[in-house]
Amino acid sequence: MTDGDDFRCEVEHDPPVVRAFGAIDIDSCDVFAAAAEQLMGACGDRPVVFDLSEVTFMDSSGLAVLVKTNVAGHPVIVRNASTTVRRIIDVTGLSGVLVVEP
Amino acid sequence: MLPTVGHRSTPWTPSAVSLVVVVAGVVVTVALALAARAAHDENEDRLLRQRTREAAAVLQAAVPGLEAPLATSAALAEVVDDDGRGVEVFRRTMGTQVGQGGPFVSLSVWRVDVPTPTIVLGEEPRLASAGDAERRALFRRAVATDGFTIHDLLGSDTPRLGYAFPTPDDAGLLVYAEQALPVDRTAVVQPDSAFDGLEYSLSLRMDGSPDTLLLASTSDLPLRGRVAVEAIPFGDASLRLAVSPEGDLGGSLLARLPLLVLGVGLVMVLVAGALTERLQRRRRYAEVLAEENARLYGEQRAGSLLLQQSLLPRSLPTVAGVEIAVRYVAGVEGTHVGGDWYDVIDKEGSLVVVVGDVSGRGLTAASSMASVRYTVRTLAAEGLSPEEILTRSNHLDEGQGSGHFATVVCGVAHATDRTVTFASAGHPRPLVVAGGDARWLDVPIGPPVGAGAEVQYASSTETLPPGATLLLATDGLFERRDEAIDVGLERFRAAAARAEGPLQSVVDAILAELTGESATDDVAILALRWPA
């Protein structure tokens, strides 16, 4: 079980970056979503970078945050995702929607 | 809204725990108070005995003040001649002992066998008017006694004590003195004296009878309460000194200690009882709240499940040549309904099969699921191909702004020639089980429906071998926290390859193997099987 308390996010506004630390699942996705929404309200229609270098695991609840950001009109750039995280983006067909950078 | 608790608890009945606290507290407090009182009593007794001994010592020290002038008188009496010489010497010497300033009201010299005194200083001795027998008895006792002998003259309006003292050389002479006692027999206690703070009575006899009383500090006799008695040797008798304290010898604070202990203890017990009761009430309230919450949770969950069930197909179509089995399990996590669904549509000898999963949970996810499901269903009924169904659904979903997206796998399966055409919008590919092995159908995967991508989906077509089983599932079946998705997918594939038997048993066995007793997430499984 992942304790939601272990997860945290850092937000940079210029350029817009969400930096996440820990596992993103049903318990922690609210924190992740709040960080993304904080940026969306303040960055116009600029792309939002999700730096996932410190993310150990992400499930569909995390993907939902990325997709929601994309649907809201902010191109999503996923950066430094681990193999596990890249894989969940691939198998859900989202690599064609989100920009995945090494 | 908070549940009403009042009608469930009984506000005026204290809890058993509170009662135990109060009873135990009262017992301990009373025991402490009794112990304090016992300690106080013991202390008071000890102090009183000490004070009584001191007072007795002071009285004892006063005895020589009586005995000395008597002894002097006796010595002088011997030198008084028969012709009266020396009488003047006696009068001059002993005169100071009689009347004002002296201890005696009368001092006289007697011959043992003569009924009248030979010399009298001060008042006429009462002994002179007493009977022969009384006088002789006194003189007999006096001659036999070392020191003075008491003559009891207390039974009179003006009480006196008489003292007889024989001359040293046994010459048949006696000195006799009488001392006046206060008429009311009361003595004023001097501050800072040995008797300060004490009530006392001094009696001539040790039986302490009222008619032998010499002096007392009070007229309220006998002394009551805490009384100590001490004997003081006095001539041929003993004086009885009885003493009782006016107040508390050990101080008023010590005296009040038992009551203080009792009072403070009882207050503390009441406070402790009240606190315990309050805690108990809070706990009971919390229990009632928890019960209410569990009930509300149950109701909410039951409602959510009802809603979700109502969004799933009530019955499955029957198509000759293809067996169908489905299983839907609601996850145990939370009350929020998930967005998983399956659908099977009979389209002129072919089956359109759909399994999908709307992101997120809750009522908005469920309504979003309903929307996508009916869109897909409608498009399928129009006879569109799987890739067209997904493309159009995605297009229609554009701008819905529900915030949810859906992964959907959609396919057409022909009953007779076993060809299947599948397209996927971000959903795991179907699994084909045939000949003891399981493999993923090679289906191109596009983005989820409603993910904000305007795309054209693609499909692939394949003809399955006779006896093949096709399995479609949502990720609740194999996704685990902190585990790469491929591990879960492989677990699903391996379990499917092992499962044998009737189609429904296969579905149930896979579900049991992968989710155990209870699935945390919602799971939908759809299976098709062609005859061998």
Side-chain angles (χ1 to χ4, degrees), chain B residues 316-324 344-353 413-416 528-531:
Chain B
L316 297 173
T318 321
V319 175
V322 185
E323 196 183 344
I324 309 171
V344 185
I345 302 138
D346 178 10
K347 183 66 183 165
E348 294 152 11
S350 299
L351 286 172
V352 179
V353 291
H414 292 278
T416 47
L528 299 183
R529 182 183 277 173
W530 283 264

Side-chain angles (χ1 to χ4, degrees), chain B residues 5 29 33 36 52 86 122 165 169 172 179 188 197 202 219 247 255 281 292 313 320 333 353 360 375 451 457 492 511:
Chain B
V5 174
T29 302
T52 306
F165 199 95
D169 63 352
Q179 185 182 27
V188 177
L202 194 60
S219 57
R281 292 253 167 101
E292 289 287 338
E333 200 159 87
V353 291
T375 301
Y457 290 88
F492 177 29
L511 190 67

Side-chain angles (χ1 to χ4, degrees), chain B residues 55-113:
Chain B
V58 166
L59 289 177
Q60 184 81 61
V63 172
L66 283 176
E67 195 162 20
L70 290 172
T72 308
S73 300
L76 275 175
E78 278 199 338
V79 301
V80 174
D81 294 345
D82 289 346
D83 56 5
R85 280 187 302 170
V87 173
E88 270 313 303
V89 177
F90 184 85
R91 283 183 184 281
R92 222 173 30 244
T93 309
M94 300 313 300
T96 55
Q97 301 295 326
V98 181
Q100 290 287 325
F104 306 118
V105 291
S106 167
L107 182 66
S108 50
V109 179
W110 299 67
R111 285 195 174 280
V112 177
D113 47 0

